[in-house]
Amino acid sequence: MFNARTQNLWLGRRRRCASDAQRIALMVRDKACVGCGADANRSFAHHIDHWRNGGGTDYPNLVTVCNDCHHDIHERHHQVEQDRRTGKHRVVPPPEAFPDTGTTTWQPKQLNPVLRN
């Protein structure tokens, strides 16, 4: 139903914001924010391939995200990924720069007795 070209869900670079038809299709497909599950009525359309990088306003390039997850994507470098088996999208945080486990680090002995615990 939503793959029919007559639904005008492929707007390309002609329009930046999602159309009403695209928003309805996203609500049906995603059901909620793909990051946290917030209600789709309180969420909006986000370009997977960002508009500023040439991404089009096409239905396959849009997902439903809430305001917080949208900030995570743009400010905290989270990524939108699609599960190959289910086709569902999700928001994934970047790998941790300094993980607490799985690494060995060298720590110098504290020589100053004032700074010892």
Side-chain angles (χ1 to χ4, degrees), residues 31-66:
K31 310 229 182 323
C33 172
V34 297
C36 67
D39 191 316
N41 290 322
R42 300 190 60 173
S43 301
F44 49 93
H46 165 73
H47 293 85
I48 297 170
D49 294 324
H50 300 298
W51 174 264
R52 70 172 178 245
N53 296 337
T57 307
D58 299 323
Y59 172 70
N61 189 41
L62 298 171
V63 291
T64 304
V65 294
C66 68

Side-chain angles (χ1 to χ4, degrees), residues 78-99:
H78 288 52
Q79 298 293 315
V80 176
E81 294 182 354
Q82 185 175 23
D83 187 308
R84 291 183 185 187
R85 290 184 308 110
T86 64
K88 293 190 182 271
H89 293 88
R90 65 179 182 260
V91 176
V92 180
E96 193 171 335
F98 303 103

